[in-house]
């Protein structure tokens, strides 16, 4: 019932917002809903018995393999938690003053949340897919209504939105095709993950089917070279939209790889592993290098996210305990990080009136507390030990090393690049001589504190005491790996 | 009349088929060839008739009256179609003041 | 007998070609009538008497007259039709020829259709056709009334003169003039 | 007695607490409160360290205190555990001891700064990180400290953040450290994948199971980490730039403690390094070249802190030479004495700067010995110590390294000797130009307050007496430090001294003689005539090259920084904007174009439609008839 | 069967009503009649025997399609109440023709004789030719009508040729016999039979607007009155597909013909989707979208699985619901924009009438095949069928084209949700609101509970 509540609470809240349009109380209602879901997610965690749980199984369209089956295991729970915990902050990041149609924004955000919960609790491939695609629709509108133009050809908000929509759907449809293929091959035409995981497709089929399955997630994450839609989208999207995109939505890609790619086409994974890992790592380096020369802070964050995500994907494909659990742990860290970074971008933009790094500088004089918060977030971004990111990256490096030393080398190199562009950004924004051109600059206010401090605290606490989350992952990942090995 | 009954036994069926195909093709090519819509309509009639001939030949070949009944129905339909077609043509001529097929291109792309 | 067949065949093919080739629409109509008559001749050769009669009455008598009527009504009985470009003509002929030769090529594989075991000379007689029509084909016969009814409605609806003269302009002007290309008068 | 976990926790815990409290109360602490609090914390930490030191029974091996499981998943178990053994105790004492003095000094030095609380918070945080580094019971904990000190160093170098050049220096330091960290992390990953553990005790126990190649790779990677942190070739350029930070920071972080982390790491892993002769050679040569190179640069520097900075790099190079030779105890000994006298020198320099109101150019100093007497005397002691005048601590530690070098090869001895002569030369140049002759500046020099001079005096005492810590047999000592460390660093156990006493005496004589000559030379040049170096442009060829720091910064800008910026620009401008994005847009645009073209098929002409249909029919007919 | 008679009589009845000037009664009587026909179908649902000397037989698929078409016609009739509100003449004739056309469609769902196939198509088509020219004084309308007529007759000629050739081999028009002959083909193929099947398939492909026999559809869709366009793109499409499905099912399709049709499918998918990208005229857009959907449906037809008919029905029915809803919406927007049919007329729809905006979104998403709408389930089923039939590459291509399709639907959605300078002054009658809502809700409902349409 908890799972259903997770699905329904944001959905109903969104429906209420959409129908009643209480612009004044919109943020409060949305926050309330997100707090409830966060509490529910935590409750779920508390009650987690330590193995795979299926909580509800309803026949929906059985002749086509569609059942409404929801449940979770350790990994699923991690993502549910992540979604539950991030949304209060994402919604809270919205400013009440001067907001344009807040009821609609919050409704769309909550719809996304509902769909995300659906994705992370689905135990049926088809159900997964439904939620997976569904999460795009509210984002489409978020981008369409509140997106801003980006420089370059076809940079209007409309064009960027369409690009985002189409390119993510490209992957989505590939996934649909792959699911359909698997369901047809499955003797009982079931789309349940258990059934699909037990499916043993011929090797040559797996080799091409791998791409059909992987493409969706490669675009979603995105992995080099499928990433071109991402920087523009992140830059164009309204802040909360980017937070959802980068913070939570792209985690669907990781989750998908975990649920689909690794178990369903193990031979395909074996065949393509180095290709994919290298793609991901090259992407991580590539984005890390590019990030350095970004003039726009938001775009810099976009590329940094791209770089991190490449690492996440590589870790996952290392397909050993450390790689997978590191990647998943880092997924959590990355969510926190992205939300923080983007919130900061917004906070800085509010104070300087721009996101152009060249036009900034010296904000620390006026806003020392903000600078301190930025700095703490940056620590997480450069994966300093005792922050959450370090634990994840450390595990991933080890996982990758067990695959191949050079992969680990490439992966570790990203920590240099990360330091270069993050410190650069910090310096450009905060440091330097006092800037007289900052009219409305004030220090971090209560709103800023309420959003950033808990998130930073989470990133530090989970950097020092990662055990709760690691324990959550340990069992599931081991179980998963034993299934993989059983497949060979 | 008895002597005529044997036509299908004397002439190979293939010849009917070939004749029918030739007529059909001429009608088809004619529809592409001409610009006058009325003539195109006539070409269509030619195509229908080639089918009629073929059906009649098959019917005789199989000694099955069904084929000839079918021809009868084709004639019915052809008559109805021509009626409608010519009515449309007249209406069009009134509106567009032309029966040239090349002039009918307001709807495109 | 064979000679008659080939004669009729030759006449029908030639007149069909004339239909396509004639400059004046009236000539086309007359060629088509000749063609239809030769086809009626084929029907007679096939001993399809009923069909031959109906064919002459419906096609030659009704349909072709209708065609002539329309040609006269619309004042098209002049060879004013601008001919198509040579390219189009060649393309049309090529397409037709290609189609024909493909079909004929297919026939070279041979047609092996067994004739009826017992040849029935009465097949095409009115009696036999009528029996078939009113027993097996009763439903189509009835249903075709719907067809005729719609055709009638259509003819009346579309062919009727406007209540208001056309010069008064349509009640609602054609709105979506998204293409400015004028229709030559 | 000693509650081990509590005491062990207190050592790094107190500075951390101090840092947190000061950071939290940043706005509310008035005057010297922050400084006093910070000093108290680290002082207490020193006391606790001393208690631990006194109660430590070195025969019992290492005491590991595990606090909690940090990263525990699958087969990986990285506990949050600290280790007490002779090596970590030594380092703890240095860090907290020298640290306390520098904290105390900072109270005076930073008195006027508005952000003094931030400064002390960072300083305390640094101490915490450094203590973690030295106390960690496994590589990962050490790595926490390793990164932590880097971070604090970044913060403190860029402490005066209004100057872009300082920020740049800070960034440079952090990034160069990060480059080293890559090696460190990779070494750890490799070690873990081979041994399944990263706890020091277990790793060193199982080190023998590794193949030579593997050990070589691991140690090389570890050494890359050490290069970054200890500013060796090719990653040394950040350290001179790091002098942008307040002087106490330079003293604590960039002279006494953090930069020796690399040495510490190598000593800590001596069990591994002893197994990898190739790596040892690499270490040796890296150290030697660095030492020579930077010592030569030091000769032409005019910034008082820069001279000391290059001197630090050079001394660190010497320590690496020792490590490369397997003389771990000598290296540690030099670490210790160096901590004393280099901290002293830096603080003295700080005192000078303080006295001159921020002036750092030695060409604008001179004649200060009359005004700032305590500073002068202590600075003189420091200079004598670093120059290796017999009796001072530097003499013993440097001598140990020279002996080890001679033992390897006389040429090596000559090279290290050259380093120490150069050191001697530029140090006396510094001393003479600063304190002798006439005053060449415009400020009004004054002696520093007691809170600054007291630490100077304490350090001066230590610089003199530090040699007693590891007094060689030759002078009747028993090398107590070496014996103390033996239990912690396996490499030390393997050290042997083959030299006869007479050889040692002879070498020592040569050394001392040459040093005295050098001092004389310096005296002639800088006291008698007070030769001031002109701007580098006006120097002769080689000197100009050296004065320009062997063009290393320019070389790096050419080799690395500019290419990186270029690469980033090109990646973005060409690969991303001209390839990736156009491909993405192109996929859509070409589809649209195809649509536009296909749309032309629908040209409204019915003949064409008919034609199209017929073509379709013919094509499909052919497929139907002939495909198959 | 009684339903078939009822519909024919209903048409005549409507004509009489028109004759006596009872314009107000037309829609109520028509709707009642159609509902009665549905009722009769529901009562007769278990009767599955060939009737009238093996001329028709309403099996499960035929029954489903018949009911579906009747339901859609009811919707269109209701829409007509508003659509024809301002038109004085020929209204009754239009309704009657629609009913007649529907009769033809019903024959197509149930034919068991090639003659009935031919007649069904003609009865379906001839009223359509007339209705397309319903706006007599509009040049576009008459052009549409003429194009439809001419191209349609041309296609009919091929259909007839095909029937003749099949007859030549089978000596009968009865599908039972044809099926036996088809089975014999496996052992002893006969070129005439293959040719016959080919020509019939071509004739039917014209009706389903498969490329390259699609040329009529954009022009006719654009030129015809919107109500007729709605009818054409829904009922006619359903009829054409069930007709094609039955034919293909019975003749088993010679394998080489299957190849040709596969090529046609790919071509259809491509033309439909790619050209639609460049369309800004809403009706033409819908026409190309309809072509594109034909491509998907052809895949289902080619897959020849036991449940193909059900999938076809689900697909076409839900597609019809969405299309009808969209055409109603377009009519409303068009009125507000003074008769413009460019997609920009939707601009500001969401601001002006949020509910209509949401419904439009749902309908468009359904056409695009985004989850939780019926269109998604439909497409998914098609993919399953096609993969089941081992049409992997075609499916991959179809997936790509579905993506292209999503783009142009999204463009329309984008228009509807982009605020405009002046909000369109939409006037929505209660009936239309109801219709639109029913369409919008039902595509979601059937998407959530697809079992109800199986």
């Amino acid at each position: 019932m908890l799972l259903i509540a997770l699905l329904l609470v944001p959905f109903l809240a969104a429906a209420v917002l959409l129908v009643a349009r209480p612009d004044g109380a919109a943020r409060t209602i949305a926050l309330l809903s997100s707090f409830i879901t966060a509490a529910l997610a935590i409750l779920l965690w508390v009650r987690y018995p330590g193995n795979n749980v299926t909580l509800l199984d309803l026949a929906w369209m059985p002749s086509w393999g569609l059942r409404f089956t929801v449940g979770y295991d350790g990994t699923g729970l991690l993502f549910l938690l992540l979604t539950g915990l991030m949304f209060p902050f994402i919604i809270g990041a919205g400013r009440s003053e001067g907001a344009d149609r807040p009821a609609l924004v919050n409704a769309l955000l909550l719809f996304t949340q509902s769909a995300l919960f659906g994705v992370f609790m689905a135990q049926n491939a088809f159900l997964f897919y439904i939620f997976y695609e569904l999460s795009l629709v509210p984002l489409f509108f978020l981008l369409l209504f509140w997106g801003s133009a980006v420089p370059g050809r076809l940079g209007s908000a409309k064009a960027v939105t369409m690009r985002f929509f189409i390119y993510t759907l490209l992957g989505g449809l590939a996934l649909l095709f792959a699911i359909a293929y698997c369901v047809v091959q499955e003797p009982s035409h079931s789309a349940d993950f258990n059934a699909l995981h037990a499916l043993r497709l011929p090797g040559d089929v797996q080799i091409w089917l791998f791409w059909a399955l992987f493409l969706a997630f490669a675009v979603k994450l995105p992995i080099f070279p499928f990433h071109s839609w991402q920087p523009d989208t992140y830059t164009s999207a309204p802040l909360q939209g980017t937070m959802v995109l980068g913070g939570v939505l792209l985690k669907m890609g990781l989750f998908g790889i975990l649920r689909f790619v690794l178990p369903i086409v193990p031979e395909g994974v074996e065949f393509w592993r180095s290709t994919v890992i290298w793609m991901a790592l090259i992407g991580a380096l590539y984005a890390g290098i590019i990030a350095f020369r970004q003039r726009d802070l938001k775009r810099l964050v976009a590329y940094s996210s791209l770089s991190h995500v490449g690492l996440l994907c590589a870790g996952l494909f290392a397909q050993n305990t450390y790689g997978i659990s590191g990647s998943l742990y880092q997924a959590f860290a990355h969510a926190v990080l992205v939300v923080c970074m983007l919130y900061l971008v917004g906070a800085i933009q509010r104070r300087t009136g721009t996101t152009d790094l060249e036009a900034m500088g010296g904000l620390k004089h006026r806003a020392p507390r903000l600078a301190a918060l930025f700095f703490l977030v940056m620590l997480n971004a450069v994966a300093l030990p005792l922050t959450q990111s370090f634990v994840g990256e450390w595990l991933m490096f080890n996982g990758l090393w067990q695959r191949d030393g050079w992969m680990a080398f490439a992966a570790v190199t990203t920590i240099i690049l990360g330091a270069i562009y993050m410190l650069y950004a910090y310096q450009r924004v905060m440091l330097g001589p006092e800037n007289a051109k900052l009219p409305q600059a004030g220090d971090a206010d209560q709103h800023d504190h309420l959003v950033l401090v808990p998130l930073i605290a989470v990133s530090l606490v989970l950097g020092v005491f990662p055990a709760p989350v690691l324990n959550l992952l340990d069992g599931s990942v081991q179980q998963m790996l034993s299934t993989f090995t059983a497949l060979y | 009349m008895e002597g005529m009954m044997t036509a299908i036994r004397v002439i190979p069926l293939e010849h009917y088929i070939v004749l029918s195909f030739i007529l059909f093709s001429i009608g088809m090519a004619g529809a592409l060839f001409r610009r006058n819509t009325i003539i195109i309509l006539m070409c269509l009639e030619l195509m229908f008739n080639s089918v009629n001939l073929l059906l009649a030949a098959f019917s005789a070949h199989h000694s099955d009256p069904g084929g000839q009944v079918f021809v009868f129905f084709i004639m019915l339909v052809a008559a109805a179609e021509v009626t409608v077609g010519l009515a449309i043509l007249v209406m069009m001529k009134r509106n567009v003041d032309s029966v040239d097929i090349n002039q009918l291109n307001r709807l495109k792309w | 007998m064979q000679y008659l067949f080939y004669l009729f065949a030759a006449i029908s093919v030639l007149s069909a070609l004339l239909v396509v080739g004639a400059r004046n629409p009236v000539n086309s109509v007359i060629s088509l009538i000749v063609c239809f008559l030769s086809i009626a001749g084929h029907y007679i050769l096939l001993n399809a008497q009923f069909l031959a009669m109906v064919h002459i009455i419906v096609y030659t008598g009704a349909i072709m007259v209708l065609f002539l009527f329309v040609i006269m009504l619309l004042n098209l009985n002049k060879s004013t039709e601008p001919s198509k470009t040579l390219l189009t003509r060649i393309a049309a002929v090529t397409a037709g020829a290609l189609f024909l030769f493909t079909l004929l090529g297919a026939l070279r594989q041979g047609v092996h259709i067994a004739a009826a075991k017992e040849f029935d000379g009465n097949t095409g007689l009115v009696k036999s056709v009528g029996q078939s029509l009113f027993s097996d084909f009763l439903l189509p016969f009835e249903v075709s009334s719907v067809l005729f009814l719609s055709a009638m409605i259509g003819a009346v609806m579309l062919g009727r003169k406007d209540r208001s003269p056309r010069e008064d302009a349509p009640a609602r002007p054609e709105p979506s003039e998204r293409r400015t290309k004028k229709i030559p008068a | 007695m000693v509650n081990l976990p509590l005491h062990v926790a207190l050592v790094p815990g107190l500075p951390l607490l101090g840092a947190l409290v000061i950071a939290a109360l940043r706005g509310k602490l008035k005057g010297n409160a922050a400084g006093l609090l910070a000093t108290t914390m680290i002082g207490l930490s020193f006391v606790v360290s001393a208690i631990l030191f006194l109660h430590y029974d070195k025969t019992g091996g290492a005491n590991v205190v595990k606090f909690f499981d940090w990263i525990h998943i699958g087969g990986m178990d990285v506990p949050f555990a600290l280790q007490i053994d002779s090596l970590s105790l030594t380092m703890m004492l240095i860090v907290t001891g020298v640290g306390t003095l520098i904290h105390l000094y900072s109270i005076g030095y930073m008195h006027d700064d508005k952000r003094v609380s931030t400064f002390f918070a960072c300083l305390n945080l640094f101490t915490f990180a450094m203590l973690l580094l030295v106390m960690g019971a496994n590589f990962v904990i050490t790595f926490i400290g390793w990164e932590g000190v880097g971070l604090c160093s970044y913060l403190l170098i860029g402490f005066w953040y209004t100057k872009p050049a300082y920020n740049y220096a800070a960034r440079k330091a952090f990034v160069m450290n990060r480059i080293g960290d890559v090696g460190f992390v990779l070494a750890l990953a490799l070690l873990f994948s081979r041994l399944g553990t990263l706890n020091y005790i277990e790793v060193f126990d199982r080190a023998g199971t590794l193949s030579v190649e593997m050990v070589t790779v691991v140690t090389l990677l570890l050494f890359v980490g050490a290069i970054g942190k200890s500013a060796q070739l090719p990653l040394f350029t950040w350290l001179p730039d790091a002098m942008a930070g307040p002087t106490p920071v330079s003293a604590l972080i960039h002279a006494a403690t953090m930069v020796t982390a690399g040495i510490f790491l190598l000593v800590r892993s001596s069990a591994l390094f002893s197994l990898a002769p190739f790596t040892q050679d690499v270490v040796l040569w890296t150290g030697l070249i660095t030492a020579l190179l930077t010592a030569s640069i030091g000769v032409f520097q005019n910034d008082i802190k820069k001279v000391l900075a290059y001197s630090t790099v050079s001394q660190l190079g010497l320590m690496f030479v020792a490590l490369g030779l397997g003389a771990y105890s000598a290296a540690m000994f030099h670490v210790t004495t160096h901590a004393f006298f280099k901290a002293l020198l830096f603080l003295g320099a700080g005192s000078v700067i303080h006295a001159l109101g921020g002036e750092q150019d030695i060409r604008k100093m001179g004649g200060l010995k009359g005004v700032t007497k305590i500073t002068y005397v202590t600075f003189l002691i420091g200079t004598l110590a670093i120059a290796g005048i017999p009796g001072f601590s530097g003499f013993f530690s440097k001598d140990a390294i020279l002996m080890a070098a001679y033992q390897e090869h006389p040429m090596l001895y000559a090279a290290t000797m050259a380093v120490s002569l150069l050191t001697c030369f530029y140090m006396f140049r510094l001393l003479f130009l600063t304190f002798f002759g006439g005053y060449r500046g415009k400020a009004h020099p004054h002696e520093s307050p007691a809170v600054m001079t007291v630490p100077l005096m304490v350090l001066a005492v230590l610089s003199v007496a530090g040699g007693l810590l590891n007094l060689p047999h030759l002078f009747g000592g028993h090398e107590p430090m070496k014996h103390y460390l033996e239990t912690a660093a396996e490499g030390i156990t393997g050290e042997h001294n083959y030299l006869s006493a007479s050889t040692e005496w002879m070498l020592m004589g040569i050394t001392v003689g040459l040093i005295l000559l050098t001092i004389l030379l310096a005296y002639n040049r800088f006291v008698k005539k007070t030769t001031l170096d002109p701007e580098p442009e006006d120097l002769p060829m080689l000197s100009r090259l050296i004065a320009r720091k062997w063009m290393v910064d320019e070389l790096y800008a050419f080799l690395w920084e500019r290419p990186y910026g270029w690469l980033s620009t090109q990646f973005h401008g060409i690969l991303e904007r001209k390839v990736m994005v156009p491909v993405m847009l192109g996929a859509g645009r070409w589809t649209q174009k195809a649509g536009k073209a296909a749309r032309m098929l629908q040209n409204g002409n019915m003949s064409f439609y008919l034609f199209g249909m017929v073509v379709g029919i013919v094509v499909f007919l052919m497929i139907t008839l002939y495909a198959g | 069967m009684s339903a078939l008679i009822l519909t024919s009589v209903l048409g005549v009845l409507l004509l009489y009503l028109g004759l006596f000037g009872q314009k107000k009664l037309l829609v109520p009587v028509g709707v009642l009649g159609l509902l009665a026909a549905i009722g009769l179908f529901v009562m007769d649902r278990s009767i599955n025997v060939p009737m009238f000397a093996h001329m028709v037989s309403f099996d499960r698929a035929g029954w489903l399609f018949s009911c579906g078409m009747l339901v859609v016609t009811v919707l269109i009739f209701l829409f007509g109440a508003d659509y024809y509100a301002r038109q004085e003449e020929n209204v009754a004739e239009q309704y009657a023709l629609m009913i007649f056309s529907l009769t033809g469609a019903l024959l197509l769902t149930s034919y068991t004789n090639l003659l009935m196939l031919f007649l069904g198509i003609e009865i379906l088509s001839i009223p359509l030719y007339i209705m397309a020219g319903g706006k007599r004084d509009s040049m576009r309308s008459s052009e549409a009508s003429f194009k439809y007529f001419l191209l349609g007759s041309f296609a009919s000629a091929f259909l007839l040729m095909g029937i003749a050739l099949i007859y030549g081999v089978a000596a009968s028009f009865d599908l039972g016999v044809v099926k036996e002959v088809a089975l014999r083909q496996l052992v002893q193929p006969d070129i005439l039979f293959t040719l016959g099947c080919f020509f019939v398939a071509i004739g039917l492909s014209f009706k389903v607007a498969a490329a390259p026999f699609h040329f009529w559809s954009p022009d006719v869709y654009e030129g015809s009155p919107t109500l007729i366009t709605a009818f054409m793109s829904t009922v006619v499409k359903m009829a054409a597909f069930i007709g094609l499905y039955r034919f293909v099912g019975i003749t088993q399709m010679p394998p080489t013909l299957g190849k040709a049709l596969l090529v046609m499918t790919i071509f259809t998918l491509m033309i439909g989707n790619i050209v639609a990208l460049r369309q800004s005229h809403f009706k033409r857009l819908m026409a190309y979208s309809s072509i594109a959907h034909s491509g998907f449906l052809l895949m289902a037809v080619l897959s020849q699985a036991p449940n193909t008919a059900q999938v076809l029905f689900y697909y076409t029915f839900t597609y019809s619901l969405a299309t009808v809803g969209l055409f109603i919406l377009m009519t409303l927007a068009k009125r507000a924009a003074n008769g413009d049919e460019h997609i920009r007329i939707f601009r500001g729809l969401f601001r002006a009438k949020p509910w209509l905006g949401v419904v439009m979104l749902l309908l468009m998403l359904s056409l695009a095949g985004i989850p939780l709408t019926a269109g998604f389930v439909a497409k998914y089923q098609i993919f399953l069928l096609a993969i089941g039939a081992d049409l992997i590459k075609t499916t991959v291509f179809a997936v790509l084209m579905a993506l292209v399709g999503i783009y142009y639907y999204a463009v329309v959605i984008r228009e509807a949700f982009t605020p405009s300078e002046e909000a369109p002054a939409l006037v929505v009658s209660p009936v239309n609101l109801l219709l639109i809502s029913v369409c919008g809700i039902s595509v979601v409902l059937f998407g959530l509970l697809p079992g109800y349409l199986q």
Side-chain angles (χ1 to χ4, degrees), chain D residues 302-451:
Chain D
N302 288 321
D303 183 314
I304 185 168
K305 285 176 74 180
K306 285 270 166 73
V307 177
L308 292 175
Y310 281 105
S311 152
T312 306
V313 179
S314 165
Q315 296 300 312
L316 289 169
L318 275 186
M319 296 177 208
F320 276 106
V321 171
L323 292 176
L325 295 169
Y328 298 103
S329 64
M332 276 311 289
F333 186 30
H334 199 56
V335 164
T336 315
T337 57
H338 181 256
F340 296 150
F341 59 69
K342 194 48 73 61
L344 171 61
L345 285 169
F346 264 114
L347 293 185
S351 182
V352 169
I353 296 167
H354 189 75
L356 298 178
E359 183 55 61
Q360 299 197 7
D361 192 337
I362 51 175
R363 288 170 298 186
K364 295 181 183 155
M365 297 180 182
L368 293 179
K369 68 175 172 182
V371 190
T372 57
K373 285 213 176 59
I374 304 174
T375 308
Y376 165 63
V377 172
T378 50
F379 199 91
L380 177 65
I381 294 172
T383 310
L384 293 174
I386 195 173
I389 302 300
F392 292 89
S393 60
F395 167 75
F396 298 107
S397 57
K398 198 182 274 183
D399 197 54
I401 296 173
L402 291 178
M403 292 304 150
Y406 183 82
Q407 209 169 306
E408 182 77 15
H409 196 278
M411 285 308 292
L412 203 57
Y413 171 78
T416 44
M417 175 59 95
V419 173
S420 51
L421 292 180
L422 280 170
T423 309
C424 181
F425 179 77
Y426 63 68
M427 280 315 297
F428 274 94
R429 167 176 177 263
L430 182 65
L431 180 79
F432 293 146
L433 285 179
T434 310
F435 294 99
F436 289 71
Y439 181 56
R440 297 180 291 276
K442 296 186 186 72
H444 303 288
H446 56 87
E447 178 60 296
S448 303
V451 72

Side-chain angles (χ1 to χ4, degrees), chain D residues 63-130:
Chain D
N63 290 325
V64 174
V65 180
K66 178 178 160 185
F67 294 97
F68 55 89
D69 273 331
W70 183 33
I71 300 177
H72 181 93
I73 187 162
M76 182 185 286
D77 185 9
V78 179
F80 200 99
L82 301 178
Q83 179 170 345
I84 298 294
D85 60 12
S86 48
L87 181 61
S88 59
L89 279 169
T90 311
M91 290 302 290
M92 278 154 68
L93 287 175
I94 297 173
V95 171
T96 52
V98 176
T100 309
L101 294 171
I102 293 174
H103 272 65
L104 190 63
Y105 174 92
S106 303
I107 297 175
Y109 190 83
M110 300 298 290
H111 185 69
D112 300 329
D113 201 286
K114 273 191 291 186
R115 294 169 60 241
V116 64
S117 312
T118 312
F119 178 80
F120 277 106
C122 290
L123 222 49
N124 253 353
L125 190 65
F126 167 80
T127 319
F128 160 71
M130 190 68 204

Side-chain angles (χ1 to χ4, degrees), chain A residues 153 167 225 227 286 289 293-294 299 303 322 325 365 379 382 385 401 409 415 427 432-433 463-464 466 474, chain D residues 70 73-76 147 151 161-162 171 174 178 186 189-190 564 568-569 572 575-577 580 584-585 589:
Chain A
R153 272 177 52 76
Y167 277 86
H227 68 278
Y286 171 81
I289 291 174
R293 275 293 159 99
Q294 293 307 313
R299 195 172 273 268
Y303 277 107
Y322 309 128
S325 44
H365 294 275
L379 298 188
V382 300
W401 185 281
F409 176 71
I415 70 171
Q427 181 187 337
V464 182
D474 200 4
Chain D
W70 183 33
I73 187 162
M76 182 185 286
E147 290 277 272
L151 173 76
Y161 61 84
T162 43
R171 245 170 58 202
F174 194 81
R178 269 278 152 131
L186 286 174
L190 179 54
Y564 185 77
S568 180
T569 315
H572 188 244
L575 208 54
E576 184 81 353
R577 286 274 144 215
M580 306 303 289
M584 170 191 66
L585 296 180
R589 249 206 344 271

Side-chain angles (χ1 to χ4, degrees), chain C residues 12-75:
Chain C
S12 49
V13 170
L14 281 176
S15 55
L17 286 173
L18 266 178
V19 172
V20 177
R23 306 260 313 150
N24 191 326
V26 180
N27 290 352
S28 287
V29 173
I30 292 177
S31 315
L32 191 61
I33 290 174
V34 172
C35 179
F36 284 172
L37 285 175
S38 70
I39 288 177
H42 283 298
Y43 289 153
I44 292 168
L45 282 183
L46 287 167
N47 203 17
Q49 297 160 2
F50 172 70
L51 223 48
M53 287 302 133
V54 177
H55 181 78
I56 290 178
I57 294 169
V58 172
Y59 272 107
T60 327
I63 296 183
M64 294 325 295
V65 170
L66 202 57
F67 268 104
L68 267 180
F69 181 70
V70 170
I71 288 175
M72 296 307 173
L73 182 78
L74 300 183
N75 214 8

